[in-house]
Amino acid sequence: MRFKPVPFLEPVPFKCLNCLDCCRGRWIYLTRRDIRGLMELGKDPSEFMVLSMEEKPRFVLSVREWDLGCVFQDPETGLCTVHSRNPLICRIYPFMVSREPLGVEGERPFEYEGEKLWLYYDKNCPGIGVEEPERVITPEEIAKLGLEFERELEETTIESVAELLGGG
């Protein structure tokens, strides 16, 4: 399913229902810290990451060819097999942090630590607004994770990953 952004301005109840959608058909960007954490779990980088050449080189999680699902997602249960070290971007979804408005009705900037951000959640996610949530997610915690991801992604270069892998 395609991401349908809704402005995220107030805390929302959330519970992951293991619908499998967030782990399928998406670019899941990896930071150097994500890669290191997965390696510490004994995962071989050649089996879980690929280099994407976009505006600048980025590392992304590999996907299964048959359903475009993340290589770490169990297709039967929907559970993440590396949940203790899942990538930062996975901890943000089904929320999104943007530096610019998307043109969605009702959006407005959210100020966090002197930064102006636009926050959204995916209207298609069945875990948003459930009656028996695991937790309530606040805009502040998503803004914090979003800024952390932005900083870490910027620091993740071919050179820094090569050094991590022992080639630099």
Side-chain angles (χ1 to χ4, degrees):
M1 241 180 276
R2 199 168 153 92
F3 190 91
K4 289 193 179 174
V6 171
F8 178 40
L9 307 169
E10 301 292 330
V12 296
F14 177 74
K15 178 179 183 179
C16 180
L17 300 177
N18 300 316
C19 69
L20 312 181
D21 186 50
C22 60
C23 302
R24 188 177 296 136
R26 300 181 190 279
W27 285 108
I28 299 174
Y29 293 101
L30 297 170
T31 68
R32 185 174 191 272
R33 189 167 81 171
D34 295 331
I35 297 165
R36 181 179 37 249
L38 293 167
M39 290 171 61
E40 288 171 357
L41 288 176
K43 303 300 181 183
D44 181 346
S46 69
E47 295 178 5
F48 71 76
M49 81 177 177
V50 295
L51 180 63
S52 170
M53 299 301 285
E54 299 173 19
E55 296 169 14
K56 59 191 333 186
R58 297 281 186 217
F59 295 91
V60 297
L61 270 177
S62 298
V63 295
R64 296 183 300 259
E65 289 183 25
W66 57 275
D67 72 345
L68 300 180
C70 169
V71 294
F72 294 129
Q73 183 241 358
D74 183 323
E76 292 181 20
T77 65
L79 299 176
C80 179
T81 62
V82 294
H83 188 73
S84 65
R85 289 290 181 92
N86 65 353
L88 184 52
I89 196 74
C90 298
R91 288 182 269 151
I92 295 171
Y93 190 85
F95 300 90
M96 176 188 167
V97 179
S98 177
R99 289 287 186 169
E100 300 290 329
L102 299 181
V104 175
E105 185 178 332
E107 68 189 351
R108 65 177 190 260
F110 181 80
E111 299 282 337
Y112 182 78
E113 293 188 352
E115 301 284 345
K116 186 185 286 191
L117 307 168
W118 281 261
L119 307 177
Y120 306 90
Y121 64 83
D122 188 352
K123 182 179 181 178
N124 287 327
C125 177
I128 296 282
V130 294
E131 289 186 25
E132 297 180 25
E134 289 175 342
R135 56 192 292 236
V136 173
I137 308 289
T138 66
E140 290 81 10
E141 74 183 284
I142 295 303
K144 179 181 178 185
L145 287 173
L147 291 175
E148 182 180 338
F149 174 74
E150 183 181 80
R151 185 185 70 254
E152 287 186 21
L153 189 64
E154 193 60 36
E155 294 169 356
T156 303
T157 63
I158 289 178
E159 297 78 18
S160 71
V161 172
E163 181 181 310
L164 176 66
L165 299 176

